[in-house]
Amino acid sequence: MAPPWLPCLLLPVLMVSVAANLPPKFLANMTSVSLPEDLPVGAEAFWLVAEDPDNDLLTYGISGTYAYFFSVNKDSGQVKLASPLDFETHYFFSITISVTDNYDNQVQKDMHVVVEDRNDNAPVFQNTVFSTSINETLPVGSLVFSVLAKDPDTGLGGLVQYFIKKVIPSTPDSEHLFKILENGSIVLNGSLSYNYKSAFYQLELMACDSGGLLNNNFIIQCSQPVFLSISVNDQPDLDPQFVREFYSASVSEDATMNTSVLTVQAVDGDKGINDVVTYSISNSTRPGWFAIGDDGVIRVNSPLDREQLLEENEEVQLQVTATEKNLNIYGQEAKASTWVTITVLDVNDHKPEFYNCVLPDCSFTPQEAQDSFAAYVDEHASARIPIDNLTMVAYDPDKGSHGTFLLSLEGPDAGAFSVSPGRAAGSADVQVLVRNPEMVDYENQSVMLVQVVATDSVSRNSSVAMVTIHLRDINDHRPTFPQRLYVLSVPEHSATGSVVTSSIHAEDPDTGEWGHITYSLLSGNGVELFEVDPDSGTVTVRDGTLLDRERQAVYYLTLQATDGGGLSDTTMLQIHLLDMNDNPPVVTGSYNIFVSEEEGSVSVIIQAYDDDEPGTNNSRLFFSVLPGPYSQNFSVDPDTGLLRNVGPLDREAIDLALGGRIVLTVRVADYGVPRLSTEVNVTITVEDINDNLPVFTQSSYQFFVKERDPGVMVGIVEAWDADQTEANNRISFSLSGTGANNFMLRGVVLESGRAKGQLWLPSDVSLDYEVQDFFQLMVSAENPGPQGHEATAGVNVTVVDVNDEPPTLVEASLQGISVAENGSQHGEVAEVLAQDVDTGAQLEIQLMNVICTKAGVDVGSLCQGWFSVAANGSVYINQSEAIDYEACDQVTLVVRAYDLNTDPRFQAYSKNGSLPITIEDVNDNAPYFLPDDKTFVIIPELVIPNQQVASVQARDADSGNNGAILFSILQVDFISKDGTTTPFQGFFRISTSSEAGVYTGSIELVTNLDSTLQGTYRVTVKAQDRPSVGPALEATIPLNLFTVDQSYRVRLQFSTYKEEVGANVEEIKAALAQATRTSVYIVNIQDIDSLARAQAHSYLDAYFVFSNGTALTLNQLSVMIQSDQGALAQLLQLGLVVLGYQGSQEVDQPKLLTGVIIGLVLALLLVFVVMVVALACVRKSYRRKLRAMKASKEAQKTAAGVMPSAPAMPGTNMYNTERANPMLNLPTKDLGLEHLASSSDLDYVSLNSLDDNSVDLDMNSQEAKKESPHSVLEPHSEPEPLKVVLSGRKAGPRGQQQEGWSFTNAGLDTTDL
């Protein structure tokens, strides 16, 4: 027999074993995942990862509306894409991920899936057929048409660019005639012409996005081409055009008035208009001679005279203007002109006349005709020689035979001359020729007279002209000079053109041309240096640069004079050159002198001479030393040129680069004017001795070296020795001081007397800024001389911390700013600042992301282009007009700072910072009421004044005063059940409150309501915003307030006290609302004041009201609760035991305890424990079995309806006088709501006496009640009591068979007792 305490030990052990297994848990980061929309189907999307404290095998799963997008490996947690993603369809959705260890309940968690946009869509034009018409005068730059293409992608992938791919007709003139802007506007880029270009164009348009990633490649998507047809409308912008380019005609000069001469014709240049054209003569070379009519016919308008047109080629030029009837587009007359040539034909109406001119330059005007001429001829000129200077033209303006005339000579001297030609037509040059040379004698007669006669060959009309002929003498003398020799002088180097002499002239007694003398220089010595004026005989210098007295002092030239007839004479010119100071002194020899410093001396004479004329100031010399770096150490005798040093010389005082050499410049000058000089260099070498020590260029050196940078040069020290020879100025370096072993010093000779020491870090040594950031060293420079002295200098090495710190954003610059919507602001609105603890940092601000939110919710990328951030941190508004508060009330610019100078080994970026930009509202939205499914019910007998009876909520998409809402009640009507409407005023008021942007209007009762009225109060509420500027916007909504009388009040009793019911009231309301689909109004929660052992400890009064104002009765409520098993189970767990009206009995019906249901579940899990306990109880004392048997028999003897005084037997409706068997302490089966059954008060008392009873409102309760709770076993059958009791419990709380409760165990058989 097992000890009685063994079950007590085994039960906790088993319970601990069952409770020890803990559920798995997802990792903390399993909240969201971002996936590109171009992720291929079947590709790995993400992994589900969970942790299990018990290291059990886990099984993963995905569920939810959008679970079809993924497939999950339930064992590994690998998730692959099962259905393509599309950002434009679902850019954000949630799935439920789950995991289980196959022991505990499944663990679930919501995961957000963010779909990243990819450039998978090409722009699409919103229309594919475009056409328009434009005027040909449309100004360049004007809008022609606008197209729109949309791309649902975001970012650059959704930024559409437009292109004109082709223009038809495809000509060079039309290729760039149109251009398309970024917004899709097509503007005119060149001039149009309906007549000269094209009346129709077709543009092939294409839209492309700005590119984006697609399948890990940068792709630019382009739309299908569309075509825009453009018709050009003709405008009256062209002048008319004549049908012929040239018009000409002829008319006789004796034509009568109105004689028709010619017809002209013009048409409108605008082919699409063809306006009426009128004609006029706007200009004429002979005004009034001709006129033109509207029909374009030109007629004779006055007498004509051809001879007036001889200079005009016998033609009249008319400018005919064609004018359109209507004005052109500029408000001006449209007209064009052309010239018409009319030739006037001749009539013989003139005689020949003489003119003093030369063909063809004669004008032949009547005023120019003359009858007197003059001419010249040499005496004794040969026969047929024409006389000179006779410009006679005979002219007859008539034409053809009418203009033919005969020429002849008359007069006193006609025999000495003849005339040519003898016959001419129109015009002819008339020549008078020598006929008899003997008669032409200057000595006999200097002037001769002849008459030239011109006679018309047809009319015989004639004209006479007198010609006076002057005779000219011939050349018969030569020119002569007064002297045969002229002595002249000129300064050397005289300027070119200088006059040597102008007084030498030759004489010739001939007159005229024969007496004109021309001068020239004959070839000889000096002819290239001088020249003579051919007319005046003035002798001048031809090339002054060649006049050099030192080269040649005297020149001899031959001057020749020649008259017009070629006769000549000569004379000799002797020209002496006067000396000028034009030669600088000349120094002979070179001067190089060596002398030791300190003790040596200089003494040397400068040798020089001057080539100018001796004994003059031009050749007298003067010596001087020019100023120089060392000229003060020397002196020179001004007359003799003796050079000496002044005081001892110091080699070290001489510039090292000179190598001890002093170069003096000695100037040798003459006394001439201008004064000329020559300079000579005298080189004096001062030899060095070792008399100086090394010297550092600095007393101390400051060097900087980066940490963690081995093998680099730290710095350079430099020293010099003033001695200027290598033997005396050689330098060596050494280093000392704390930490000197971290460095090495390398000496390098820079030049003679100068060396540098390079301070290096060994290749295996690097400095650490954190260990030691400063070294103080000493460097020595030694001279190898016998003195053994040395110079020292301090060396300070600072270890530089490398630029390894990232920049940081200045938080103060990231404080939020506000920008008004709808284009209210432009330009810079903020400045993001950054700082860097490193020196030399060069920072720029980078925009990383733009987050668009509305009321804290991400709204995608619609605000991406609103703002931009410049590299200097300036924040600018890009798209002011696009800013919309209602679409996005806060734009967060995610920025970071980047240090351009950060060491490449370290992070150069700061952490991202956020600049919130609050979009300020403009009052452009009216308030709107929030949808609310609440039903407002008024219970007149309960509501009191100042009590809230209803509420409304409203929002306004605007903000501030623009979005502040004030509620008011416009109207109150009472609608009775029979449909009668009665206005009520003053019964309600409304107050306004707000929270988180939601405005609540609380409707309160002002006075008591009439409880006898049954119906609905309809309250019309107005919501109005309160803008500070502009009119207010409003909205209204009607509310129905239903009245419900007390007959619908239902009471629910609970096994818990009112405190616990009050704590669970929201869960109770939710369960009741789920079961009834009504609005639940809690009236009261109170404890039950009863001394009886009632199972109900509190009650709850409530109304169940539908949205139409009707309420549930008790019976309707009971049926609806029983029909919803889930709500029923929840209510039982919350302690519900009885339903009833408020006026029903206070004693609750016995119900099954909710704890029993939980116990049954636990019992199923602990069957093994029960079996162990049963085995342990087999060997219990027979006395306990006897008690149970006696109790059963006593219960069978009890009559129905008899109330015994002894306590009831637990688990039955029987009574005994002894202790109840604890094995029979089981919950009873209550098959229905007791207020619907007919049971006695004794039953209520009996049920209320049970310790662990609870309500079981089962759907099968009506059938179960057919069995009487007071039925007893027949005495003669005497079945095994435990089996009988347990078999009565086969039907579970929900009608299911509980087979586990009925079994036969021989060890527990009590029949034998």
Side-chain angles (χ1 to χ4, degrees):
M1 178 178 180
W5 45 264
L6 180 60
C8 298
L9 291 178
L10 291 175
L11 183 59
V13 171
L14 294 173
M15 293 296 291
V16 171
S17 175
V18 172
N21 188 277
L22 298 177
K25 180 173 64 175
F26 280 106
L27 298 184
N29 61 353
M30 301 298 295
T31 58
S32 65
V33 64
S34 297
L35 299 175
E37 66 172 327
D38 58 351
L39 185 68
V41 174
E44 178 185 300
F46 54 91
W47 289 77
L48 299 180
V49 181
E51 296 177 341
D52 186 80
D54 307 308
N55 293 324
D56 295 327
L57 292 178
L58 302 180
T59 300
Y60 297 93
I62 295 178
S63 60
T65 305
Y66 301 99
Y68 65 88
F69 279 112
F70 306 101
S71 62
V72 59
N73 187 317
K74 65 178 182 177
D75 297 323
S76 64
Q78 183 187 31
V79 180
K80 295 184 178 180
L81 191 66
S83 181
L85 299 174
D86 186 10
F87 175 86
E88 288 72 30
T89 303
H90 299 292
Y91 66 89
F92 178 88
F93 57 86
S94 297
I95 58 175
T96 300
I97 58 175
S98 61
V99 63
T100 178
D101 59 1
N102 301 312
Y103 293 102
D104 297 290
N105 291 334
Q106 189 180 61
V107 177
Q108 293 184 338
K109 186 176 183 180
D110 288 337
M111 172 179 279
H112 302 302
V113 179
V114 179
V115 180
E116 298 176 351
D117 190 23
R118 289 295 183 267
N119 191 19
D120 60 339
N121 292 282
V124 177
F125 281 97
Q126 297 306 292
N127 197 354
T128 57
V129 179
F130 303 109
S131 63
T132 186
S133 62
I134 56 177
N135 294 333
E136 65 172 337
T137 57
L138 187 70
V140 175
S142 299
L143 177 65
V144 176
F145 197 76
S146 293
V147 297
L148 176 63
K150 293 185 178 180
D151 191 324
D153 294 323
T154 60
L156 291 177
L159 183 61
V160 179
Q161 298 178 334
Y162 300 90
F163 303 93
I164 299 177
K165 302 296 291 183
K166 187 178 181 181
V167 180
I168 301 174
S170 180
T171 64
D173 192 37
S174 63
E175 181 178 0
H176 302 290
L177 188 58
F178 302 92
K179 68 178 180 180
I180 189 165
L181 304 181
E182 294 180 355
N183 61 358
S185 298
I186 299 172
V187 298
L188 186 64
N189 199 39
S191 61
L192 300 171
S193 177
Y194 179 90
N195 296 280
Y196 301 116
K197 293 185 179 179
S198 176
F200 178 81
Y201 296 94
Q202 188 176 57
L203 275 59
E204 181 180 344
L205 307 178
M206 182 175 291
C208 298
D209 56 31
S210 299
L213 291 178
L214 179 63
N215 299 322
N216 295 323
N217 293 319
F218 187 82
I219 299 297
I220 295 178
Q221 300 270 19
C222 294
S223 69
Q224 292 296 323
V226 297
F227 294 90
L228 169 63
S229 299
I230 302 175
S231 298
V232 181
N233 300 326
D234 194 12
Q235 296 291 303
D237 61 334
L238 296 178
D239 294 329
Q241 297 176 344
F242 285 91
V243 296
R244 290 168 55 187
E245 295 183 1
F246 177 76
Y247 290 90
S248 64
S250 61
V251 61
S252 176
E253 63 179 327
D254 58 352
T256 60
M257 294 283 290
N258 293 323
T259 299
S260 176
V261 179
L262 177 67
T263 301
V264 297
Q265 183 180 2
V267 295
D268 188 354
D270 300 304
K271 300 177 181 178
I273 298 178
N274 197 21
D275 199 1
V276 176
V277 178
T278 61
Y279 304 92
S280 63
I281 296 176
S282 54
N283 196 1
S284 173
T285 57
R286 296 295 171 179
W289 283 20
F290 299 95
I292 190 170
D294 292 339
D295 55 356
V297 177
I298 299 176
R299 291 179 171 84
V300 176
N301 194 45
S302 64
L304 306 179
D305 185 4
R306 186 194 71 85
E307 285 69 31
Q308 295 184 28
L309 305 175
L310 295 180
E311 293 183 358
E312 303 166 24
N313 200 25
E314 305 176 10
E315 296 173 346
V316 176
Q317 300 292 333
L318 302 179
Q319 186 182 34
V320 177
T321 299
T323 305
E324 295 180 11
K325 181 179 181 180
N326 298 306
L327 300 179
N328 61 17
I329 60 172
Y330 310 109
Q332 302 173 349
E333 289 184 341
K335 55 187 178 180
S337 300
T338 186
W339 286 94
V340 178
T341 301
I342 300 178
T343 303
V344 179
L345 303 179
D346 182 46
V347 175
N348 190 11
D349 55 353
H350 292 85
K351 65 178 181 179
E353 290 184 309
F354 294 99
Y355 295 87
N356 187 8
C357 61
V358 177
L359 292 177
D361 298 328
C362 299
S363 57
F364 300 125
T365 62
Q367 296 80 10
E368 293 179 353
Q370 65 183 61
D371 57 2
S372 177
F373 294 88
Y376 298 88
V377 65
D378 293 338
E379 61 176 334
H380 306 301
S382 301
R384 303 297 299 173
I385 295 298
I387 64 178
D388 299 331
N389 296 333
L390 178 63
T391 55
M392 175 186 289
V393 173
Y395 172 66
D396 189 335
D398 293 328
K399 197 172 184 180
S401 61
H402 297 160
T404 302
F405 53 88
L406 303 176
L407 294 173
S408 61
L409 283 181
E410 295 179 358
D413 299 315
F417 300 95
S418 63
V419 65
S420 177
R423 184 184 181 91
S427 62
D429 287 320
V430 178
Q431 290 183 327
V432 177
L433 308 177
V434 176
R435 182 179 179 184
N436 188 351
E438 296 298 329
M439 297 177 63
V440 183
D441 187 356
Y442 179 82
E443 286 73 23
N444 294 331
Q445 186 178 355
S446 61
V447 177
M448 303 180 74
L449 298 175
V450 295
Q451 291 178 336
V452 180
V453 180
T455 304
D456 191 308
S457 63
V458 176
S459 66
R460 308 308 296 178
N461 294 326
S462 63
S463 296
V464 178
M466 179 65 71
V467 178
T468 301
I469 303 173
H470 300 273
L471 303 184
R472 289 194 298 263
D473 192 13
I474 63 173
N475 184 25
D476 54 353
H477 296 88
R478 71 172 58 246
T480 59
F481 285 101
Q483 299 177 209
R484 308 314 300 169
L485 175 64
Y486 292 89
V487 178
L488 308 172
S489 65
V490 64
E492 65 174 330
H493 301 304
S494 293
T496 300
S498 299
V499 176
V500 178
T501 181
S502 61
S503 60
I504 301 176
H505 300 286
E507 297 178 355
D508 191 328
D510 291 326
T511 61
E513 184 179 355
W514 308 120
H516 179 71
I517 300 174
T518 302
Y519 298 92
S520 61
L521 292 176
L522 300 181
S523 300
N525 182 23
V527 70
E528 73 278 4
L529 304 179
F530 302 94
E531 61 184 357
V532 64
D533 184 272
D535 297 321
S536 65
T538 300
V539 179
T540 58
V541 176
R542 182 177 184 179
D543 188 354
T545 60
L546 300 178
L547 295 181
D548 188 359
R549 189 200 68 82
E550 287 72 29
R551 180 185 300 173
Q552 184 173 342
V554 181
Y555 291 91
Y556 296 92
L557 302 175
T558 300
L559 178 63
Q560 177 178 275
T562 305
D563 63 14
L567 301 178
S568 64
D569 188 20
T570 61
T571 185
M572 183 64 67
L573 303 180
Q574 182 180 350
I575 302 176
H576 295 264
L577 298 185
L578 303 178
D579 185 37
M580 303 294 294
N581 189 24
D582 59 343
N583 289 283
V586 177
V587 179
T588 61
S590 61
Y591 302 90
N592 292 292
I593 304 169
F594 293 87
V595 62
S596 298
E597 64 175 325
E598 302 297 341
E599 298 177 356
S601 62
V602 176
S603 179
V604 64
I605 296 177
I606 308 302
Q607 303 291 333
Y609 64 91
D610 195 317
D611 287 332
D612 286 324
E613 189 172 355
T616 64
N617 285 340
N618 292 341
S619 60
R620 180 184 171 191
L621 302 181
F622 173 80
F623 297 87
S624 63
V625 178
L626 295 183
Y630 309 103
S631 61
Q632 70 276 7
N633 296 321
F634 300 90
S635 65
V636 64
D637 187 281
D639 297 322
T640 65
L642 177 61
L643 179 66
R644 295 177 179 271
N645 61 300
V646 180
L649 300 177
D650 184 5
R651 170 70 177 262
E652 286 70 40
I654 303 172
D655 188 353
L656 179 63
L658 299 177
R661 290 185 297 275
I662 299 175
V663 179
L664 297 177
T665 301
V666 177
R667 172 177 290 172
V668 182
D670 57 26
Y671 287 88
V673 178
R675 196 166 189 174
L676 303 178
S677 63
T678 299
E679 297 173 358
V680 63
N681 289 334
V682 179
T683 302
I684 302 171
T685 301
V686 180
E687 297 178 344
D688 182 44
I689 63 175
N690 191 7
D691 56 350
N692 292 280
L693 294 178
V695 177
F696 279 99
T697 57
Q698 299 175 210
S699 60
S700 64
Y701 294 88
Q702 297 287 339
F703 297 139
F704 298 88
V705 62
K706 293 182 180 180
E707 63 174 330
R708 300 198 298 273
D709 204 355
V712 298
M713 187 172 70
V714 177
I716 297 175
V717 298
E718 190 173 336
W720 61 281
D721 192 314
D723 294 323
Q724 296 188 359
T725 58
E726 184 176 357
N728 298 327
N729 60 19
R730 193 165 59 245
I731 300 171
S732 62
F733 297 96
S734 62
L735 186 67
S736 62
T738 304
N741 57 339
N742 291 316
F743 304 90
M744 58 182 181
L745 190 61
R746 300 172 182 171
V748 178
V749 177
L750 298 176
E751 57 186 355
S752 179
R754 186 174 296 272
K756 68 177 181 180
Q758 296 177 338
L759 188 62
W760 289 81
L761 285 176
S763 59
D764 58 345
V765 174
S766 63
L767 303 180
D768 189 347
Y769 176 84
E770 288 70 27
V771 175
Q772 184 174 355
D773 60 355
F774 183 78
F775 294 88
Q776 188 170 6
L777 307 174
M778 184 69 70
V779 62
S780 300
E782 298 177 351
N783 190 284
Q787 296 86 351
H789 296 301
E790 64 181 11
T792 60
V795 176
N796 297 324
V797 180
T798 301
V799 181
V800 179
D801 190 13
V802 298
N803 190 351
D804 56 350
E805 293 295 330
T808 57
L809 295 171
V810 177
E811 289 297 329
S813 67
L814 296 177
Q815 299 300 319
I817 63 173
S818 298
V819 174
E821 65 172 331
N822 294 340
S824 302
Q825 289 182 242
H826 301 83
E828 182 178 350
V829 294
E831 183 178 8
V832 179
L833 302 178
Q835 58 188 8
D836 196 324
V837 296
D838 297 321
T839 58
Q842 183 178 353
L843 305 183
E844 68 176 24
I845 304 301
Q846 299 177 339
L847 179 61
M848 305 304 298
N849 192 14
V850 180
I851 301 175
C852 314
T853 56
K854 175 66 177 177
V857 178
D858 193 329
V859 294
S861 59
L862 61 89
C863 68
Q864 288 286 340
W866 292 2
F867 300 91
S868 64
V869 180
N872 63 355
S874 296
V875 179
Y876 295 96
I877 297 178
N878 270 356
Q879 302 171 353
S880 180
E881 299 297 334
I883 299 177
D884 186 4
Y885 170 86
E886 286 70 37
C888 171
D889 61 5
Q890 179 162 304
V891 179
T892 303
L893 303 181
V894 180
V895 297
R896 71 179 183 186
Y898 174 56
D899 186 354
L900 299 176
N901 294 336
T902 297
D903 191 294
R905 298 172 295 174
F906 302 98
Q907 175 65 38
Y909 298 96
S910 70
K911 294 182 179 178
N912 288 348
S914 296
L915 174 63
I917 302 177
T918 301
I919 307 303
E920 293 183 345
D921 185 35
V922 176
N923 189 26
D924 54 352
N925 293 277
Y928 62 93
F929 287 93
L930 299 180
D932 193 353
D933 57 357
K934 292 182 180 179
T935 301
F936 301 109
V937 177
I938 297 178
I939 304 175
E941 65 268 22
L942 294 182
V943 295
I944 59 177
N946 300 324
Q947 181 178 345
Q948 178 178 329
V949 295
S951 65
V952 293
Q953 287 187 324
R955 281 184 180 270
D956 192 317
D958 299 319
S959 62
N961 289 338
N962 297 332
I965 299 175
L966 179 64
F967 295 99
S968 60
I969 296 177
L970 293 179
Q971 184 177 354
V972 179
D973 295 321
F974 182 80
I975 304 173
S976 61
K977 290 187 176 181
D978 59 3
T980 304
T981 301
T982 304
F984 274 73
Q985 298 298 332
F987 280 77
F988 300 94
R989 63 169 174 262
I990 188 168
S991 60
T992 304
S993 62
S994 66
E995 181 178 358
V998 177
Y999 286 81
T1000 302
S1002 300
I1003 301 176
E1004 299 175 350
L1005 190 64
V1006 177
T1007 182
N1008 291 322
L1009 300 177
D1010 187 351
S1011 61
T1012 63
L1013 294 177
Q1014 294 189 4
T1016 302
Y1017 290 94
R1018 176 167 293 173
V1019 180
T1020 302
V1021 179
K1022 179 177 74 174
Q1024 179 176 296
D1025 58 21
R1026 294 177 285 181
S1028 55
V1029 178
L1033 305 177
E1034 63 182 39
T1036 60
I1037 188 174
L1039 295 180
N1040 292 325
L1041 279 62
F1042 300 99
T1043 59
V1044 179
D1045 60 53
Q1046 199 172 7
S1047 63
Y1048 291 98
R1049 185 168 178 174
V1050 178
R1051 174 162 295 181
L1052 290 79
Q1053 297 186 9
F1054 292 85
S1055 62
T1056 57
Y1057 290 96
K1058 69 175 183 179
E1059 289 78 7
E1060 186 173 351
V1061 174
N1064 299 328
V1065 67
E1066 293 302 326
E1067 298 181 41
I1068 295 172
K1069 288 179 62 176
L1072 292 172
Q1074 175 185 340
T1076 62
R1077 303 297 188 270
T1078 62
S1079 297
V1080 181
Y1081 296 90
I1082 306 298
V1083 178
N1084 191 19
I1085 302 175
Q1086 294 293 335
D1087 286 335
I1088 296 176
D1089 187 11
S1090 176
L1091 299 177
R1093 295 184 60 199
Q1095 185 177 8
H1097 297 293
S1098 63
Y1099 65 87
L1100 179 150
D1101 291 341
Y1103 288 86
F1104 298 85
V1105 183
F1106 289 103
S1107 59
N1108 60 1
T1110 60
L1112 287 177
T1113 63
L1114 180 61
N1115 292 337
Q1116 293 171 334
L1117 175 63
S1118 175
V1119 172
M1120 296 185 74
I1121 290 179
Q1122 292 181 62
S1123 63
D1124 192 326
Q1125 292 297 309
L1128 175 60
Q1130 187 176 1
L1131 290 171
L1132 292 176
Q1133 291 178 1
L1134 295 172
L1136 176 65
V1137 292
V1138 173
L1139 299 176
Y1141 287 107
Q1142 178 184 357
S1144 63
Q1145 299 175 359
E1146 295 295 336
V1147 179
D1148 294 332
Q1149 299 176 1
K1151 303 297 179 181
L1152 297 176
L1153 294 175
T1154 304
V1156 175
I1157 298 175
I1158 300 174
L1160 291 175
V1161 175
L1162 295 175
L1164 292 175
L1165 299 176
L1166 302 176
V1167 171
F1168 178 75
V1169 177
V1170 174
M1171 295 178 65
V1172 172
V1173 173
L1175 292 175
C1177 294
V1178 170
R1179 303 186 63 83
K1180 287 189 176 181
S1181 66
Y1182 286 95
R1183 182 180 179 183
R1184 184 171 182 81
K1185 295 181 180 181
L1186 181 60
R1187 288 178 183 175
M1189 190 60 190
K1190 289 181 178 180
S1192 177
K1193 291 180 178 181
E1194 187 66 25
Q1196 294 175 6
K1197 295 178 181 179
T1198 304
V1202 178
M1203 172 66 72
S1205 59
M1209 178 178 177
T1212 69
N1213 286 335
M1214 308 301 179
Y1215 297 84
N1216 66 350
T1217 56
E1218 297 184 57
R1219 292 182 297 136
N1221 186 347
M1223 295 298 294
L1224 303 179
N1225 190 18
L1226 301 175
T1228 62
K1229 173 70 174 181
D1230 187 6
L1231 300 178
L1233 296 172
E1234 290 301 324
H1235 71 278
L1236 299 178
S1238 59
S1239 58
S1240 65
D1241 293 339
L1242 296 178
D1243 292 332
Y1244 283 109
V1245 175
S1246 174
L1247 290 173
N1248 289 333
S1249 68
L1250 301 179
D1251 295 332
D1252 297 318
N1253 288 349
S1254 63
V1255 171
D1256 186 2
L1257 299 177
D1258 193 87
M1259 296 178 61
N1260 299 325
S1261 59
Q1262 298 299 327
E1263 296 179 3
K1265 287 181 180 285
K1266 293 179 181 180
E1267 298 182 6
S1268 173
H1270 306 292
S1271 62
V1272 297
L1273 300 174
E1274 293 296 331
H1276 61 275
S1277 61
E1278 295 185 354
E1280 204 283 316
L1282 182 59
K1283 180 177 180 181
V1284 171
V1285 176
L1286 295 178
S1287 63
R1289 303 297 297 176
K1290 289 183 179 180
R1294 302 194 180 184
Q1296 299 174 355
Q1297 293 299 321
Q1298 304 292 331
E1299 296 298 338
W1301 288 106
S1302 178
F1303 60 91
T1304 300
N1305 189 329
L1308 298 178
D1309 191 353
T1310 58
T1311 305
D1312 58 333
L1313 299 180

